Every structure is written in C-alpha cells, then in structure tokens.
Amino acid sequence: MTSVLDLAPVVPVVVVDDPSDAVPLARALVAGGLPAIEVTLRTPGALEAIRAVAEGVPEAVVGAGTVLTPEQVTGAVAAGARFLVSPGWTDVLLEAMRGSGVPYLPGVSTTSEVVALLERGVREMKFFPAEAAGGTAYLKSLAGPLPQARFCPTGGIGPATASEYLSLPNVGCVGGSWMLPADAVAARDWGRVEELAREAATLGSGSQV
C-alpha cells in the first residue's frame, strides 16, 4: 500500500468501546466494500481492537486514528496498524509518523498548515474538521494554488455531502462514521452495518483492495 487515499472512497472512522466487537464490525465493513478502517485511539481498548482486526480480518486494511504522540505511533504500528491518521501535526509527531514505515495522514485545517507540510515533502493529508473548517468551498479554493496536495476530509461529513467532497479533484476519499450508527453497533446488528457500508462504497470512484 502506498496511499491511504486510494483504498476506498470512504474510510469508516471507528470508535471501539468493546474490543470483542472489532472483528465482526470489521468483517461487516469489508463485506460492504469498505476495506480501509480507521480505529481511533480514543478508548482504552483501541489497540486491542486494532490487533484483533489485523490478525482476524486479513482482508481489512486497519489503521489508527487520533494519533497524537510518538508513543501512540509506536504502539499502533506494533498492534498491526497499516496506516496512521492524526487530527493535527507537530514536527515531533510528523517525524514519528514518517519513521513508522506505514502511510500516514497528518491533519490540517489552514492553508499555512498545508504549505508547511508540502515544504516537508508531505502531499497527502487529512482535512479536519472538514465541515467546521470550510467544507467543500475551502477545498475548492485550495485546488488552484496548491494542486499537489490531496486530502481525506473528515468531520461532520455524512451520506448527503460525501459525494460533493469526492467530486473535488484534490479529494481522494472521505472519512466518516455514518455507516456505524450507535444503535446498530450497540445491538451488534452487523447486517445493517454491512448494508450502510455498501451504500457508502458506491459514493465515489476510488479503487478498492
């Protein structure tokens, strides 16, 4: 894998409260056509969930999100994460992600942050929080002066707006959690998750693994 942005049009952003749900949840997402899965490091069982998916669902491409420290970079990769996503970046965090050996998406929300990453040789980024930071209008404005930057917008995106983002030339995929409604996850209704994932997978033209 060389680019997270080309795995699928939508990357599910997953918060796992119970690690035992990780494998059936991942299987449902993969069956629905969404193989790239971002497990956020917001819960105590997140690394255990990443490890379970990496070992139990080989057809999934599991990554770690909300990566904030070099220690989290190390722990996530050791658990089996195949890509890393951060909501923002510093030089210290960027160097840790660069040295991890896996693809990574540092988060940006301003033009200056984008330019700073381009200066450091990074061309693929997370745009966060997408809707609050200006949405599709902002990304359209960046495409002219900064065409070399590509984005995975995340934050406030749903099925009604995902296609608008995916139609932009500088957007490779979007991140979201609408295919993982809380009631379906709580009920372990993996069939519903798979159905919603299948609908999401049709929103763009990104290639799938």
Side-chain angles (χ1 to χ4, degrees):
M1 180 177 62
T2 57
S3 173
V4 180
L5 301 185
D6 297 326
L7 291 173
V10 178
V11 177
V13 179
V14 182
V15 179
V16 180
D17 292 308
D18 184 347
S20 68
D21 290 336
V23 166
L25 185 155
R27 285 176 176 159
L29 292 172
V30 171
L34 300 181
I37 302 169
E38 176 188 334
V39 177
T40 67
L41 301 183
R42 302 180 194 174
T43 61
L47 291 179
E48 183 181 346
I50 290 172
R51 185 174 292 106
V53 174
E55 295 175 356
V57 193
E59 62 270 36
V61 182
V62 64
T66 323
V67 176
L68 302 175
T69 67
E71 292 75 20
Q72 287 180 324
V73 169
T74 301
V77 174
R82 294 173 61 186
F83 64 90
L84 304 168
V85 184
S86 67
W89 65 278
T90 65
D91 280 320
V92 171
L93 179 59
L94 187 65
E95 284 309 305
M97 291 193 292
R98 193 193 302 272
S100 68
V102 300
Y104 55 94
L105 296 175
V108 297
S109 61
T110 70
T111 305
S112 293
E113 290 169 336
V114 175
V115 172
L117 282 178
L118 291 174
E119 189 178 80
R120 289 160 173 78
V122 179
R123 297 192 174 195
E124 298 188 344
M125 313 165 195
K126 171 179 178 171
F127 180 58
F128 176 83
E131 286 288 280
T136 55
Y138 195 94
L139 287 172
K140 284 179 185 177
S141 298
L142 292 181
L146 302 171
Q148 64 271 54
R150 295 180 72 215
F151 302 95
C152 174
T154 305
I157 299 174
T161 56
S163 293
E164 297 176 36
Y165 282 94
L166 291 167
S167 69
L168 299 177
N170 55 352
V171 170
C173 63
V174 300
S177 57
W178 71 86
M179 72 297 298
L180 297 160
D183 57 341
V185 175
R188 294 177 169 82
D189 187 351
W190 308 126
R192 184 179 171 201
V193 170
E194 180 180 339
E195 180 182 348
L196 291 170
R198 185 169 291 109
E199 293 172 1
T202 67
L203 290 175
S205 58
S207 62
Q208 299 180 14
V209 293

